[in-house]
Amino acid sequence: MQFAPFFPFIYRILQPSFPDCLWCGDRNSKAIALTFDDGPHPQYTRQVLQVLDRYNITASFFWLGACVNRSPEVAKAVCDRGHWIGLHGYDHRSFPLLTPNELKESLAKTQAAIYDSCNLLPEQVRDVRPPNGLFTPKTLNLFRQWNYRPVMWSVVPEDWVSPGITTVVQRVNQQVQNGSLIVLHDGVCGGQDVAATIEVLIPQLLQQGYQFVTVDNLWRYNQTN
């Protein structure tokens, strides 16, 4: 069973309950964020970069530390292009199942991997998206204590189950609106279609008048309103 049709309803329940998380940007602005989880991948992420380069679009990537260590040259290529970098844990273990020490170590190890490949200091990489979007109030309290910023989503086309390019594009178009925060995947699950998906999706969204910004841009709006 695919859950994509239910994510908009889940979003409407969770978003007002956890206002300290970044769920979206300005609903009065056509600025949206395109984000990618589970990378970097030696093949799929490079393909994504080619499409983003072609359209001169800056996106946001939430990385697994283990993948950064496996593909440091790909990580550097993403960073060198000015894309925004965030954390997704070291190895995609669910955050609520980790002890506080394990969670802290997972994030710190990922920051260290990013520093080694991209020379970004830990304080420059503070945005965190929990794997599978799973968190608890305790998780958020720990983020706050450790000065991390929790980033969620508003458009989830469930591309990681590989429903097909046409289906993913259709789901995004059905859900997208001003300020949307779109989640796609450039890792092992879903990454095989991601470049072809955004090759179709980006021109459609541009034609609708949307402007692509990074997660940091969405935070700036939320912090001033």
Side-chain angles (χ1 to χ4, degrees):
M1 179 181 180
Q2 295 185 18
F3 294 94
F6 302 103
F7 280 118
F9 300 101
I10 295 171
Y11 165 78
R12 283 198 285 272
I13 294 170
L14 292 177
Q15 192 266 342
S17 301
F18 298 98
D20 291 339
C21 301
L22 181 68
W23 297 91
C24 65
D26 183 1
R27 289 303 190 198
N28 296 310
S29 166
K30 300 288 282 187
I32 60 176
L34 188 59
T35 71
F36 300 90
D37 288 4
D38 295 355
H41 186 278
Q43 178 184 352
Y44 306 148
T45 304
R46 288 190 186 279
Q47 293 171 346
V48 166
L49 289 179
Q50 290 175 359
V51 180
L52 296 176
D53 286 351
R54 191 151 55 248
Y55 289 98
N56 194 28
I57 283 172
T58 306
S60 303
F61 291 79
F62 289 85
W63 281 343
L64 298 171
C67 292
V68 176
N69 281 333
R70 282 197 291 266
S71 302
E73 71 289 346
V74 180
K76 188 174 188 305
V78 174
C79 186
D80 285 349
R81 286 165 167 80
H83 299 292
W84 190 253
I85 309 301
L87 308 170
H88 201 45
Y90 189 79
D91 52 10
H92 213 275
R93 285 186 294 167
S94 178
F95 287 174
L97 298 181
L98 302 178
T99 68
N101 283 340
E102 288 172 336
L103 176 56
K104 192 172 188 177
E105 181 183 12
S106 175
L107 298 174
K109 284 175 64 179
T110 305
Q111 287 176 316
I114 292 170
Y115 176 76
D116 289 342
S117 61
C118 304
N119 204 32
L120 288 179
L121 296 172
E123 54 266 30
Q124 295 176 276
V125 189
R126 286 287 174 177
D127 286 335
V128 182
R129 176 177 283 151
N132 301 314
L134 298 177
F135 65 92
T136 66
K138 181 181 178 181
T139 310
L140 299 183
N141 285 334
L142 291 172
F143 287 166
R144 194 177 299 111
Q145 290 176 33
W146 300 333
N147 197 31
Y148 290 110
R149 303 191 299 185
V151 177
M152 302 305 171
W153 34 257
S154 61
V155 178
V156 188
E158 208 177 10
D159 61 320
W160 64 87
V161 298
S162 300
I165 295 165
T166 300
T167 298
V168 173
V169 170
Q170 182 182 45
R171 287 172 177 172
V172 173
N173 277 314
Q174 287 172 344
Q175 296 179 33
V176 71
Q177 56 183 302
N178 289 356
S180 281
L181 212 169
I182 303 167
V183 179
L184 295 172
H185 294 76
D186 61 333
V188 172
C189 296
Q192 63 271 20
D193 289 336
V194 68
T197 297
I198 62 172
E199 184 69 75
V200 176
L201 183 62
I202 287 173
Q204 292 183 5
L205 294 174
L206 289 172
Q207 190 171 17
Q208 295 174 55
Y210 289 109
Q211 170 194 0
F212 292 89
V213 300
T214 66
V215 160
D216 193 47
N217 291 108
L218 300 190
W219 272 119
R220 281 187 217 144
Y221 166 77
N222 283 18
Q223 289 166 349
T224 56
N225 288 273

